[in-house]
Amino acid sequence: MAAASTHRASRPPVGVVEALGTAVPPHVVTNDDLAQHLDTNDEWVRTRTGIAERRFADPDTSTGDLAVEAGADALKAAGGDVDTVIVATTTPDRMLPGTAPEVASRLGLGDASAFDVNAACAGFIYALPVASGLVATGTADRVLVIGAEVMSRIVDPDDRSTRVLFGDGAGAVVVRSGHADEPGAVGPFDLGSDGDQTHLLEVPAGGTRQPIDDHAIENRHHFLQMDGREVYRQAVRRMVSSSRAVLAQAGLEVDDVDCLIAHQANARILEAVADRLEIPRDRCVSNVGRYGNTSAASIPLALADASLEPGQQVLLTSFGAGMAWGSSLMTWPDLPTPDPT
Ligand code: COA
């Protein structure tokens, strides 16, 4: 006993996930609903993407609103306050300031430190090691990490090639300091980016490079533009190589992975990543059919759909605009039993 605690005390602390929360808007949009306005159909969307439906926020609901809801859900499960809030989003409430400070205030977290992380669809996977670093160094005691997006507001309602892919939602985890052998421990991490490929997936206007003016609106540059085929190719390649990198860092083999949670972009991408890693598909979480691609919310929403035993090995991997990608290992947390009230 004494030897074990000495061993523990000598090991550096890591981030440990102790609670999960989610929020999705109630409005379900099916492929048939979209086909009323766009030249598309249910069969095309299901075959190419595996997506059957997604949620769209109503016009009065912002990313911050969904973040507050998911954050409150996670805090309730954790049963206590946090002193730092990170909102991973690429659809912030406004250009300035970040969304996180207002979310922290609305959650009643006093003067908690709060900031946004924008790594697009890889946002949550970037925010997780940031949170882990903050608790491991004692900078924060407990961090609320929220991935939240209202993608429907930046996707062109008239562009069938992107409109069908994305959905809105939020997911959150609470991270505290702990030890690498505890259920819920996160890490190691692998992160990467390739800014030469920015043009493959971007909202060109609305920042300082191209303000939104008549020219931008005429060219639909205030909406998301995407080279779907190339993004597909890169998504598979980068999630596979990053997953291998993080497994190598941990000294683990694919056989050690009990569950793969990859960014829920498209069912075909999920299958290709699993197949190339040689992880059986029945060990992979897929909820893209219900939610579409919710960008930074996709990993925490998928975590909430995984049901595992505490201590089981989970591989998280994500990829998005930037291009930016990353992976993390995590042991399944000992989650509190949900409070029915
Ligand atoms: N309904 C019907 N037809 C559609 C359509 C839709 N919603 N969207 C595109 N099409 C058409 C195209 O216009 C094209 O028609 P054309 O041959 O007459 O020009 C045809 O379908 C094939 O398009 P293509 O782009 O070759 O299809 P694809 O098999 O590559 O699938 C995606 C398209 C977008 C589903 C696929 O490329 C993809 O999933 N890419 C990754 C996107 C992604 O995940 N992005 C986010 C990453 S974080």
Side-chain angles (χ1 to χ4, degrees):
M1 227 22 210
S5 50
T6 309
H7 175 61
R8 271 192 164 195
S10 66
R11 295 174 63 186
V14 301
V16 171
V17 169
E18 63 172 5
L20 283 172
T22 59
V24 290
H27 183 203
V28 176
V29 179
T30 64
N31 296 333
D32 286 338
D33 293 335
L34 293 178
Q36 289 179 15
H37 174 71
L38 293 169
D39 182 13
T40 188
N41 58 75
D42 182 58
E43 200 264 330
W44 193 97
V45 181
R46 278 181 197 259
T47 313
R48 305 287 175 121
T49 73
I51 299 168
E53 59 188 44
R54 72 288 291 145
R55 306 295 180 98
F56 281 176
D58 68 46
D60 296 331
T61 300
S62 74
T63 292
D65 294 330
L66 294 178
V68 167
E69 215 183 303
D73 197 29
L75 289 176
K76 188 174 161 199
D81 280 353
V82 302
D83 55 1
T84 300
V85 176
I86 305 175
V87 175
T89 187
T90 196
T91 52
D93 279 9
R94 46 182 84 77
M95 177 106 179
L96 178 150
T99 303
E102 195 178 23
V103 168
S105 286
R106 288 175 60 192
L107 287 169
L109 297 172
D111 58 0
S113 62
F115 57 95
D116 291 5
V117 166
N118 182 353
C121 296
F124 186 84
I125 221 76
Y126 264 71
L128 207 51
V130 174
S132 187
L134 288 172
V135 294
T137 55
T139 312
D141 285 334
R142 289 160 95 224
V143 182
L144 177 62
V145 185
I146 309 171
E149 304 279 15
V150 177
M151 293 301 290
S152 60
R153 215 145 287 156
I154 64 162
V155 173
D156 190 340
D158 296 331
D159 178 4
R160 67 177 180 174
S161 66
T162 52
R163 188 61 167 174
V164 300
L165 301 178
F166 295 92
D168 305 334
V173 296
V174 174
V175 177
R176 64 164 169 82
S177 172
H179 293 275
D181 52 4
E182 280 187 67
V186 291
F189 307 99
D190 174 73
L191 302 174
S193 76
D194 179 3
D196 287 346
Q197 309 297 327
T198 298
H199 59 282
L200 294 180
L201 180 49
E202 61 171 336
V203 179
T208 54
R209 186 165 297 283
Q210 188 184 355
I212 296 181
D213 54 16
D214 290 347
H215 172 78
I217 291 173
E218 205 177 302
N219 289 288
R220 315 297 272 180
H221 283 174
H222 56 312
F223 287 128
L224 185 140
Q225 318 281 327
M226 183 179 70
D227 176 343
R229 281 201 172 178
E230 190 53 26
V231 168
Y232 184 110
R233 215 177 58 79
Q234 297 225 10
V236 175
R237 183 163 70 94
R238 296 300 193 180
M239 283 196 277
V240 168
S241 62
S242 178
S243 295
R244 287 190 179 132
V246 87
L247 286 169
Q249 268 192 72
L252 296 179
E253 305 290 334
V254 284
D255 283 351
D256 298 315
V257 175
D258 296 304
C259 178
L260 170 66
I261 298 186
H263 171 48
Q264 306 284 306
N266 173 323
R268 288 192 301 155
I269 292 178
L270 294 176
E271 288 164 8
V273 170
D275 291 353
R276 287 192 197 182
L277 287 171
E278 296 183 36
I279 295 177
R281 290 184 188 178
D282 62 5
R283 278 195 230 155
C284 305
V285 175
S286 176
N287 62 13
V288 68
R290 280 164 37 228
Y291 296 136
N293 179 347
T294 57
S295 185
S298 117
I299 295 279
L301 281 175
L303 280 172
D305 271 346
S307 77
L308 298 167
E309 294 298 320
Q312 280 193 295
Q313 189 67 62
V314 185
L315 169 61
L316 309 173
T317 187
S318 194
F319 173 89
M323 313 311 297
W325 59 88
S327 302
S328 169
L329 288 166
M330 169 183 165
T331 52
W332 191 252
D334 201 355
L335 293 172
T337 313
D339 178 353
T341 53

